[in-house]
Each structure stands twice: as C-alpha cells, then as structure tokens.
Amino acid sequence: MRHRTVGDLMTPTAVSVRPGTTFKEIARLLDEYDITAVPVVDDGGRPVGVVSEADLLRKQTSGDVGSTAGDVMTSPAVVAEPEWNAVRAARTMEGRKVKRLPVVDVEGRLIGVISRGDLVKLFLRQDHAIQEEILEDVIVRTLRLPPSSLTVEVTDGRVTLSGSLERRSLLPVTARLCEGVDGVVDVVNRLGYDRDDTTGEATVRPS
C-alpha cells in the first residue's frame, strides 16, 4: 500500500526570492502568483527563510517598506523532504506553527513547497477511490482475502467495515490498515470473528 508523499503533493518549481529582494518585489510576486508566502534561498538555491504576507504586513504597519527579504523573513527555514508522508509534514507544520514548508532535495536545494492546502487535498479523495484501495490493497493484497469477504462502505471519507474475519486478533489490525489509507477520516469497525485467538484458547464465537 503506497501512500502519497510530500513529493507527490507539493507544488514543484516553487517561486523563490533572494535575501536582497526588495519589499515591493516580494509583494508583487505574492500577488502575481496568488500565493501567501515565498521561500528565500541563498546562492546555492538552499532555503534560508520564508517571507509571508504576515511578515510584510508587520513591516508595512511599522512604516518600513524599504526592507529586503533578508530583513523580514522568518529564519531559519523549516523544510520538508520529498519522501516524507503527509502525517509527518502536517505534524511538523503544527509543531513549528507554520502553514507551509519548503521542500528540499538531498543536497538541501529547493524543489517545491507544500502547504496545508496541499495536505487537505488528501481528504478530498472520492469515496469510491478510497473503497477500491481498501478492497484491493488491504483486503486482497495484505489480508489475502477475497474482495467479497468483507463489506466496505465509504461516505465522505468515513469507512464502515462489516462482515466476519477468521480470527479476533485481525479486527484491530484491519481497522488500522484502513485508517492508514489516504483520505480516510474515520473507521467504524463492525467486524465480527469466527475464532477468538486472543485468549490462548480455541474459542469459537457462537453464531
């Protein structure tokens, strides 16, 4: 089961500025590209900070609009790597209180930007796409069961599982696998089991 990564979700070839870029030029770029922040890179293309609309507004309020990117940027830049999963990117944003992360390659050079909006797209997946992934990847490939063995219903990202598994120990495992599918908001586990293998005894659940 392959989850989409930061590299899949980011906006590539991100707009960037240099530390010496002027206040007015930064404002023009934000407006032209309809973005709310821009990475600041050094001569090697490595992010050294980020300038956001909020940074510009703070300077404008103080009456100082002659500043450069190096003067107003938030530094150091908090960056992500393309192989990160969405959860790691989201937790980094939350932990560092930022709304976007420059994405860098193995040499630390800017290759894109991922924003909260990009991560939200994960939860805009169509229900049928989520259902198909659960049936194919979780039930068939991972659990090695026929696709008709369980019923999977998906409504607005909420997955409801019903049917019966052979062993009780598989119930929480199956639910966790479904929770890990991109776009899943919640999992309602209504699965039953034929044999309780959690007690060390061959207890068969009565029908």
Side-chain angles (χ1 to χ4, degrees):
M1 188 162 38
R2 180 187 181 276
H3 296 296
R4 281 177 287 180
T5 64
V6 165
D8 297 325
L9 298 168
M10 72 180 187
T11 301
T13 59
V15 180
S16 63
V17 298
R18 302 291 291 279
T21 303
T22 64
F23 183 104
K24 290 186 177 181
E25 177 63 12
I26 298 168
R28 186 191 68 77
L29 288 171
L30 295 182
D31 179 66
E32 179 181 345
Y33 290 95
D34 193 24
I35 53 179
T36 59
V38 61
V40 183
V41 298
D42 62 16
D43 292 341
R46 298 174 177 84
V48 294
V50 173
V51 176
S52 68
E53 288 179 329
D55 295 324
L56 295 183
L57 287 172
R58 279 192 291 270
K59 277 293 183 179
Q60 191 172 33
T61 301
S62 68
D64 182 6
V65 294
S67 305
T68 64
D71 298 323
V72 301
M73 69 182 182
T74 299
S75 180
V78 182
V79 301
E81 298 173 8
E83 66 272 15
W84 283 14
N85 61 36
V87 173
R88 182 173 181 181
R91 287 178 176 171
T92 300
M93 288 183 195
E94 178 65 22
R96 302 298 294 269
K97 306 301 180 187
V98 295
K99 297 179 180 179
R100 64 200 59 79
L101 300 169
V103 184
V104 298
D105 62 17
V106 292
E107 296 183 354
R109 293 174 299 198
L110 181 71
I111 57 174
V113 168
I114 187 163
S115 68
R116 287 181 181 177
D118 295 322
L119 296 177
V120 166
K121 292 175 184 177
L122 281 179
F123 298 97
L124 298 179
R125 290 186 75 191
Q126 295 294 317
D127 290 338
H128 68 83
I130 297 173
Q131 182 187 45
E132 288 176 3
E133 183 171 340
I134 291 175
L135 288 171
E136 295 174 5
D137 288 355
V138 176
I139 296 177
V140 176
R141 293 177 186 165
T142 304
L143 298 178
R144 299 185 181 280
L145 297 172
S148 58
S149 58
L150 300 178
T151 299
V152 179
E153 299 176 345
V154 185
T155 304
D156 295 331
R158 183 183 177 91
V159 177
T160 301
L161 302 172
S162 55
S164 184
L165 292 169
E166 180 185 356
R167 302 190 307 275
R168 184 177 184 178
S169 61
L170 289 175
L171 270 62
V173 174
T174 302
R176 285 197 298 271
L177 287 170
C178 292
E179 288 169 353
V181 171
D182 290 339
V184 171
V185 175
D186 188 25
V187 174
V188 178
N189 190 349
R190 294 177 179 166
L191 294 171
Y193 57 90
D194 299 327
R195 181 169 60 88
D196 189 349
D197 62 338
T198 65
T199 61
E201 301 176 1
T203 304
V204 178
R205 187 184 187 191
S207 57

